Amino acid sequence: LADKLQQQVTDQEGQLQYSESRIRQATLAAAQALINDAKVTIVRTVDGGAAPGRTATFVVCASNAVNTNQCDYVTDGNNDQTEINLALAALPAGGGEVHLTEGNFSITGVDGTLGGILIQTSNVVFSGSGMGTKLTLTDGNTNKNVIRVIGNNLENITIRDMWIDANRDKQRVPGGRILFEADGIRASAPLNTANAQHPRNIVVENTRVDNCT
């Protein structure tokens, strides 16, 4: 009798685990369906804080990353600023860190802005995995920076541990003019905004920047 009862308990636990697994799969599938147009892949859900054992709030994987198991967003090698900007926008109000894995990230300028990757809030760490993390601006942009820090009175922003290629010679130069906004990293207050305060305490460390104006 004891053996039969134990077997029933084991069977019920197995069914419960199976049901929970199906629920999780369905939830992730529904979330994925909502953002298919943006070509974003969600690997796992995050509750707004760092997962146990991680220091970054969100991790973004390159399309050629070795391991994507611990990533919150996975890029596809085209318009990779989409996934990165989604991660930055999803940071909690108090700030946090977006970390990029090793690999290549293809960055295109966002329409209506002066950048590809947009940091628009305070208390943000944007980190890579050393020189193995490379951000390259795609051909044919006009007045776009790879990373644009822009906002009124922003502070405490760190960019570190990555390689940035602004791809200067393959950007468009209207009318033969010199590109003004074509840097690896540029920080300023919003343009044409009265009494706007420029960002302060911006730290860039262990970062290589090539081919900018």
Side-chain angles (χ1 to χ4, degrees):
L1 178 58
D3 290 342
K4 288 183 179 180
L5 289 174
Q6 181 61 48
Q7 185 60 48
Q8 289 176 359
V9 170
T10 302
D11 291 344
Q12 290 173 356
E13 289 177 345
Q15 291 172 3
L16 178 59
Q17 291 172 0
Y18 175 77
S19 298
E20 290 176 344
S21 176
R22 292 294 298 273
I23 290 170
R24 285 195 297 269
Q25 291 172 7
T27 302
L28 288 174
Q32 184 64 65
L34 291 174
I35 56 174
N36 276 340
D37 289 342
K39 297 182 179 179
V40 178
T41 300
I42 293 180
V43 176
R44 60 184 186 79
T45 56
V46 174
D47 61 4
R54 295 198 317 170
T55 57
T57 310
F58 294 108
V59 177
V60 182
C61 274
S63 59
N64 60 336
V66 173
N67 187 344
T68 61
N69 289 336
Q70 292 297 313
C71 293
D72 304 298
Y73 300 86
V74 181
T75 63
D76 61 7
N78 293 291
N79 295 315
D80 293 339
Q81 76 285 343
T82 300
E83 290 85 354
I84 296 170
N85 285 334
L86 282 172
L88 287 165
L91 289 174
E97 179 173 358
V98 171
H99 178 76
L100 307 183
T101 65
E102 83 292 338
N104 299 319
F105 294 85
S106 179
I107 308 301
T108 300
V110 176
D111 290 342
T113 76
L114 296 171
I117 297 169
L118 305 173
I119 300 177
Q120 303 178 86
T121 55
S122 296
N123 306 316
V124 169
V125 175
F126 183 57
S127 65
S129 301
M131 296 304 104
T133 299
K134 186 175 184 182
L135 313 178
T136 303
L137 193 64
T138 56
D139 297 354
N141 291 274
T142 301
N143 285 332
K144 302 294 185 185
N145 304 278
V146 181
I147 300 174
R148 190 70 160 90
V149 180
I150 188 164
N152 183 26
N153 205 28
L154 298 185
E155 61 181 353
N156 306 326
I157 294 169
T158 298
I159 299 167
R160 69 185 184 207
D161 302 323
M162 62 184 68
W163 179 8
I164 300 170
D165 185 349
N167 193 21
R168 175 192 57 225
D169 294 338
K170 294 185 179 179
Q171 305 308 310
R172 293 189 303 230
V173 186
R177 294 179 290 118
I178 296 174
L179 287 171
F180 176 67
E181 296 272 355
D183 296 319
I185 304 169
R186 189 175 183 87
S188 76
L191 302 179
N192 304 317
T193 301
N195 302 316
Q197 299 296 312
H198 287 294
R200 61 186 183 275
N201 194 23
I202 308 298
V203 177
V204 179
E205 56 187 10
N206 193 33
T207 294
R208 171 179 172 179
V209 181
D210 291 335
N211 302 317
C212 58
T213 56

